[in-house]
């Protein structure tokens, strides 16, 4: 929808939030994300789940449905973390894999990335 076709346009001021989602909330997000993912993948397939997750409006709404209402700050990390945790051990059955995380590079690679050496 282009701006001239009746779409609303404007500016949103979304503050950054620091910290983490409370553990009690994240645990609930994991459970609900698991169940919703199972239903969507079972009924429509993994490709449909990926299509939905790639839609920024659907993704933001999914985060809100799961209970994460911190505007947009942190929703990607928190939602993907909940999806990864919720589908852990079910990846093969669902044919749906979540590759999210704040994995740390091995020390030898961290040194090289700081100095620019390879």
């Amino acid at each position: 929808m282009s701006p001239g076709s009746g779409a609303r346009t404007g500016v949103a001021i979304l503050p950054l939030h620091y910290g983490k989602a409370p553990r009690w909330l994240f645990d609930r997000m994991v459970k609900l994300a698991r169940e919703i993912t199972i239903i969507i993948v079972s009924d429509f397939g993994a490709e449909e789940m990926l299509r939905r997750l790639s839609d920024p409006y659907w993704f933001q709404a999914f985060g809100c449905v799961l209970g994460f209402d911190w505007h947009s700050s942190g929703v990607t990390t928190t939602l993907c973390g909940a999806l990864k945790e919720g589908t852990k051990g079910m990846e093969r059955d669902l044919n749906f894999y979540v590759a999210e995380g704040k994995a740390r590079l091995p020390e030898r690679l961290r040194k090289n990335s700081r100095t620019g050496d390879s």
Side-chain angles (χ1 to χ4, degrees):
M1 200 175 203
S2 65
S5 64
R8 293 182 184 194
T9 61
V11 175
I13 310 256
L14 301 173
L16 290 176
H17 298 282
Y18 298 95
K20 298 160 68 168
R23 175 47 67 181
W24 64 266
L25 174 60
F26 186 75
D27 290 344
R28 289 180 173 134
M29 290 177 68
V30 167
K31 291 175 185 175
L32 188 54
R34 174 180 38 246
E35 298 307 317
I36 291 171
T37 301
I38 289 170
I39 290 168
I40 292 172
V41 172
S42 296
D43 288 355
F44 304 106
E47 292 85 11
E48 177 62 16
M49 185 67 184
L50 291 174
R51 187 192 67 73
R52 291 178 186 209
L53 289 171
S54 68
D55 177 332
Y57 294 107
W58 194 91
F59 189 90
Q60 183 72 34
F62 190 32
C64 290
V65 165
L66 297 181
F68 192 79
D69 62 352
W70 277 261
H71 306 299
S72 60
S73 179
V75 73
T76 302
T77 303
T78 306
L79 175 52
C80 289
L83 275 173
K84 184 176 183 178
E85 186 70 27
T87 58
K88 191 183 297 181
M90 304 170 63
E91 298 90 349
R92 284 184 186 228
D93 293 335
L94 293 172
N95 194 29
F96 182 77
Y97 299 82
V98 180
E100 175 279 337
K102 295 181 181 179
R104 298 198 65 183
L105 291 172
E107 182 61 32
R108 65 181 174 77
L109 295 177
R110 276 187 274 153
K111 286 180 184 175
N112 291 343
S113 68
R114 276 188 240 131
T115 62
D117 301 335
S118 36

